[in-house]
Amino acid sequence: MSDRKPYPSDVTDEQWAMIGPFLNAWRAKRVSVAGRHGEQDLREVLNAILYQNRTGCQWAYLPHDLPQKPVTYYYFGLWRDDGTDAAIHDLLRCQTREKAGRAEDPTAVAVDTQSIRAANHVPAATTGKDAGKRVPGRKRGLAVDALGLIIAVVVTAASVTDNQVGIELLDKVAEHTPTVTHAWVDAGFKQDFAVHGAVVGIDIEVVKRSDTLPGFVPVKKRWIVEQAFGTLMLHRRLAREYESRPESSVSRTLWAATANMVRRLTGTSTRTWRNG
């Protein structure tokens, strides 16, 4: 760790002890043509990614005492493309579930989508308009377990239907977490989605909202995924769609969830940008 004054989003020594060995092992496997393993401080690169995630700043506004865009984006892109971000996330998810007294892999998920407005530089070819919510941008789909931990994430144009996003989520869940046999969804997911669930071996349960109770009432089971969306929004980079590539948006989501889990595992917290 450098001698600079730490930012609230920095990983602590205890948190780095969970992530660092994985990144150091990743580096050990990557040898350049000159026979070098790289000289960048990967902890500081990770801190730069988490800082940008938390604050939502542009690349040019990264603090001068953190690695700048050429270095940070280089590693961000490498970890996105080779699946390192997902591997770290999934490993920490297993640890978080075990700490909560759960099995490593869940048997049920809650599925929902969220439409996010896109910044003006995001390519039109990868965006669209959610006709129902009237939101121009992209749609983020999540499948989360009973603890609100992400099992699968999909990012598409906002014009893509919930059914299509849901089907893609089910495919990812079935491929990577075959222990899942049940999914809770809202009434926005139609028959095609339920049929596809049956095909991949996942029973679909539509949990309807009660119209008889006044005010805001969390919907049983479905509220888990809504809470997960709300927690991700504390990471300002996810509050609006800034990424040129949907794959980068997926990676941002995984890093935000990773930051949440290491705080959960170490019993620490970070001041939110909402509290100034």
Side-chain angles (χ1 to χ4, degrees):
M1 184 66 179
S2 67
D3 294 329
R4 67 171 175 78
K5 183 178 179 181
Y7 295 102
S9 56
D10 284 356
V11 291
T12 64
D13 290 343
E14 189 178 3
Q15 292 167 0
W16 177 246
M18 295 180 172
I19 302 176
F22 196 103
L23 290 181
N24 290 331
W26 172 88
R27 166 181 273 169
K29 295 177 182 178
R30 291 184 59 86
V31 182
S32 69
V33 177
R36 298 178 180 176
H37 291 288
E39 300 175 354
Q40 292 296 330
D41 185 339
L42 296 185
R43 180 171 177 176
E44 285 292 82
V45 172
L46 177 60
N47 283 334
I49 292 173
L50 298 183
Y51 178 94
Q52 192 176 39
N53 253 22
R54 195 76 183 191
T55 65
C57 75
Q58 298 175 38
W59 284 106
Y61 287 85
L62 279 172
H64 294 300
D65 51 4
L66 286 174
Q68 296 302 289
K69 178 181 178 179
V71 171
T72 301
Y73 186 77
Y74 172 75
Y75 282 97
F76 173 80
L78 280 179
W79 295 338
R80 174 198 63 206
D81 296 340
D82 69 8
T84 295
D85 52 4
I88 292 174
H89 170 272
D90 292 351
L91 177 64
L92 291 173
R93 186 188 67 219
C94 291
Q95 293 179 19
T96 304
R97 285 183 57 82
E98 287 182 337
K99 184 177 181 179
R102 306 269 183 154
E104 282 191 5
D105 295 316
T107 58
V109 294
V111 176
D112 205 354
T113 66
Q114 175 190 46
S115 292
I116 305 293
R117 290 184 179 273
N120 57 9
H121 69 273
V122 178
T126 62
T127 62
K129 185 172 183 178
D130 185 325
K133 299 176 183 177
R134 299 182 181 179
V135 174
R138 289 202 179 122
K139 184 171 287 185
R140 182 182 300 133
L142 292 184
V144 305
D145 66 7
L147 300 177
L149 305 177
I150 296 175
I151 305 301
V153 55
V154 169
V155 175
T156 68
S159 53
V160 176
T161 67
D162 285 0
N163 258 15
Q164 291 173 279
V165 175
I167 287 172
E168 190 171 345
L169 283 169
L170 288 182
D171 286 339
K172 286 180 175 290
V173 170
E175 179 182 359
H176 299 292
T177 317
T179 54
V180 172
T181 58
H182 197 86
W184 300 294
V185 300
D186 63 25
F189 293 89
K190 306 304 180 183
Q191 186 63 27
D192 289 348
F193 176 76
V195 170
H196 191 76
V199 170
V200 297
I202 299 176
D203 181 51
I204 306 301
E205 178 184 351
V206 178
V207 183
K208 296 183 179 180
R209 181 176 55 199
S210 173
D211 294 325
T212 60
L213 298 175
F216 171 74
V217 180
V219 181
K220 185 179 179 181
K221 304 299 184 183
R222 264 177 45 200
W223 175 242
I224 300 168
V225 66
E226 297 291 350
Q227 189 176 44
F229 279 127
T231 303
L232 290 176
M233 288 300 97
L234 296 175
H235 299 262
R236 206 165 190 169
R237 187 80 180 188
L238 300 181
R240 185 176 287 269
E241 188 56 65
Y242 294 108
E243 308 304 326
S244 297
R245 297 173 54 184
E247 298 89 346
S248 294
S249 186
V250 169
S251 184
R252 291 285 184 187
T253 304
L254 293 175
W255 282 121
T258 293
N260 289 342
M261 285 189 293
V262 291
R263 287 195 294 273
R264 194 167 179 170
L265 286 166
T266 58
T268 55
S269 61
T270 300
R271 186 182 63 190
T272 72
W273 51 266
R274 288 176 175 171
N275 294 331

